[in-house]
Amino acid sequence: MQSKLSFPLSFLSLLSSATAAVIDPSSFASNAILLRDVVVIGGGSSGTYAAVNLKRAGHSVALIEKEARLGGHVDTFQDPATGGIFDYGVVALLNTSFVRDYFAFFQEPLMDIPASNPGALDAFANLRTDAKNVTLPPTVPWTDAAAVFGAILGYSAQISQYPFLVGGYNLPNPVPADLLLPFGDFLAKYNLTAFANMAFRFDQGMGNILATTTLYAFKYLPKTTVDAFVGLAPPPVMSATLNFQGLYDKALAYLGSGTNAFVNSHVLAIDRSGPRVLVAVLTPSGPRLISAKKLLVAIQPKASSLQGLGLDLSVQENNIFGQFNNSYYWDIVIKNSGIPPNVGVTNVDLNASLAIAPMPGLYGFAPAPLPGYTNAYYGSPSFRTDAQVKAETLAAVKKYVAANGLPATSPQIVGFNSHAPFWLTVSPSKIASGFYSQLNALQGQRNTWWTGATWVAHDSTAIWDWSEATLLPALKGSL
Ligand SMILES: Cc1cc2nc3c(=O)[nH]c(=O)nc-3n(C[C@H](O)[C@H](O)[C@H](O)COP(=O)(O)OP(=O)(O)OC[C@H]3O[C@@H](n4cnc5c(N)ncnc54)[C@H](O)[C@@H]3O)c2cc1C
Ligand SMILES: *[C@@H]1O[C@H](CO)[C@@H](O)[C@H](O)[C@H]1NC(C)=O
Ligand SMILES: *[C@@H]1O[C@H](CO)[C@@H](O)[C@H](O)[C@H]1NC(C)=O
Ligand SMILES: *[C@@H]1O[C@H](CO)[C@@H](O)[C@H](O)[C@H]1NC(C)=O
Ligand SMILES: *[C@@H]1O[C@H](CO)[C@@H](O)[C@H](O)[C@H]1NC(C)=O
Ligand SMILES: *[C@@H]1O[C@H](CO)[C@@H](O)[C@H](O)[C@H]1NC(C)=O
C-alpha cells in the first residue's frame, strides 16, 4: 500500500507554480477519488451539524477536519487517573427543538442547567495587579441586584427593537446608529450600565466588551439567551454527562470515519474552475481527491485561513475576507489551583470604566465540576502567545492564593486551548456601508456555501437554527 501513501508529485508541482490551483484528477489513483454531493471543510459546530443533516436527508457528504476529533470549540477534559469528565469549552445550549432533536438522534442526554449553585461564593479581585479580594463600592452600578435586573429588562427591550438580528446578518440600510456605537456608550446612553458585568461574563473572547460594536454584543447575547439565563424563559441545557465531545464522537462514527469524515486531514488545494468542486486532501491513509457538487466552508473565513486551504479565491472574495479583524480567546483547566472549590473569582479593575477588567487578561477563575480542578478563561483583542497566556494565568493563580491567605499549592495547567481566530469583526463604518450584504452575497456563488460563527454568531443554538431555516434549504436547493 506504499503507493497510496506517496503523494502524487505531478499534483504538487502544479501547486507550486499556479496562482489559482488547478487540480489534475489523473494524478490520483482511481480509488482515491471520491464523488460526493457536498464537501464540508471544518468539523466544528456548524460543519458537523450540516454534514449530519445532509446525510440524514440522503445526500452524500465528505467532511474534512484538521484536528484529531470533531467538535471545534468543544473542549472536554478527562482526568487521566479517575476518568472523571467535564466540558470547559462549549457548555450551554438553549432548549430548542433542533437542539433536542440533534441530541436525541445521537442518544446523548441533555439536562437543564441548574438555576444556582448553593454555597457558591463570588470573589472579585484585580488579577492584573495585587489579586486581593476587593469589596466593590456601591458606585459600581452592577453591585445592585435591583439595578441589574432592571438593566436586563432594559437590554431585552432594546434588543427586541431589532428582530432582524435573529439568524444571519440581515441588516437594514441604513444600519440603525445605536448598533454601531461602542457597547459601553450604548449602555451609558440607555442607563443600562448595570448590565456591564453580565456582558463581560457572557460575551467572553470579544476583546474589550465596552469597546465592542453594539451589533456584535447583541449577536453574542440575544434576548433568548438572556431570558433563559435569568429565569424569564425555560433554562438553557448542558450535556447531562458533561461531555459534549460524546455527541461529536458519535457524529464522526455516524458519518463514517475515514470514508466520509476525515479527521487529522489537511486540505492542500481547492479548485472551483470546473463544473464540480475538486478538493485535494491529505488524510492519514493517503491523499484523496473529493469531487463534489458543492463546497461548504465551515472554518473561520479569514483570508489567510482560506488561502491556507489552497482555495482559489476570487478578487472579490479576497477583498471581502481580507477586511476581517479577529479577537483571541483561551480556555484553561488548572489542577491544584489552591482556590477553594466553592469560590469563583471575577477579574475586576476599580480604576477602569464600570470596574470591567481590561483585556488582554483573565475573565476569572471558576470551580470546575470535578474536585481539584479550576477553570480559567482568558481573552485578548490582539495576538498573544500561548506561553504568555499560560505564564500570566499561573502567576495570577499563585498571586490570588498568596494575597488572600490561602495555603500555597503547586498549580498546574492540564487543559489549554487557543480558540483564535475567535470573533471576526469589521469596523462600524464598514458595517454601515454594507459589508454584510457583500458578505452574504457570496452564498452559493462559485458552487460555494459558507457557515459558522461569522455568518451567525458564536452561539451553537443560533448557528443550528439558522442552518435549518436558511443555509441548508438553500444549499439543498442548489444540488
Ligand atoms: C471557550 C469557548 C466556549 C464557548 N461556549 C459556548 C457555549 O457554551 N454555547 C455556545 O452556543 N457557544 C459557545 N461558544 C461559541 C462557539 O464558537 C460556537 O458555539 C460554535 O462552536 C462555532 O461554530 P463554528 O463551526 O463556527 O466553529 P468551530 O466550532 O470552531 O469549528 C471550526 C472547525 O474547523 C476546523 N478547521 C479550522 N481550520 C481548518 C482547516 N484548514 N481544515 C480543516 N478544518 C479546519 C477547526 O478545527 C474546527 O473544528 C464557545 C466558544 C469558546 C471558544
Ligand atoms: C427542554 O424543554 C422541553 C420542552 O419544553 C422539556 O420537556 C425538557 O424537560 C427541557 N429540558 C431538557 C433537558 O430537555
Ligand atoms: C437609571 O437607572 C437607575 C437604576 O439602575 C435608576 O435608579 C435611575 O433613576 C435611572 N436614571 C434615569 C435617568 O432613568
Ligand atoms: C483590522 O484589519 C485591517 C485590515 O486588515 C487592518 O488595516 C487593521 O490594522 C486591523 N486593525 C486591528 C486593530 O488589528
Ligand atoms: C488606580 O489608579 C491609581 C492612580 O493612578 C493607582 O495609584 C492605583 O494603584 C490604581 N489601582 C488599581 C487597582 O489599579
Ligand atoms: C475572598 O472572597 C471569598 C469569596 O467571597 C471568601 O470566601 C474569602 O474568605 C475571601 N478571602 C479574603 C482573604 O478576604
Side-chain angles (χ1 to χ4, degrees), residues 126 129 349 351:
N126 187 329
T129 59
D349 183 343
N351 278 0

Side-chain angles (χ1 to χ4, degrees), residues 94-96 100 109-113 234-238:
L94 296 186
N95 188 351
T96 64
R100 289 194 302 267
L110 290 167
M111 67 179 196
D112 291 347
I113 292 186
V237 294
M238 62 195 284

Side-chain angles (χ1 to χ4, degrees), residues 43-45 48 65 67 69-75 90 245 248 419:
S45 169
T48 303
E65 167 58 50
E67 301 294 332
R69 61 174 182 96
L70 302 183
H73 294 311
V74 164
D75 287 310
V90 176
Q245 188 59 48
Y248 286 92
H419 291 278

Side-chain angles (χ1 to χ4, degrees), residues 330-348:
W330 290 261
D331 57 7
I332 303 158
V333 180
I334 305 161
K335 188 176 182 176
N336 291 327
S337 70
I339 302 173
N342 59 336
V343 173
V345 184
T346 299
N347 190 10
V348 293

Side-chain angles (χ1 to χ4, degrees), residues 41-46 64-67 71-73 89-93 298-299 309 329 331 419 422 452-453 458-460 463:
I41 299 185
S45 169
S46 64
I64 302 163
E65 167 58 50
K66 70 175 166 56
E67 301 294 332
H73 294 311
V90 176
V91 289
L93 301 169
I299 72 168
L309 297 173
Y329 188 28
D331 57 7
H419 291 278
F422 190 60
H458 270 288
D459 175 337
S460 279
I463 290 172

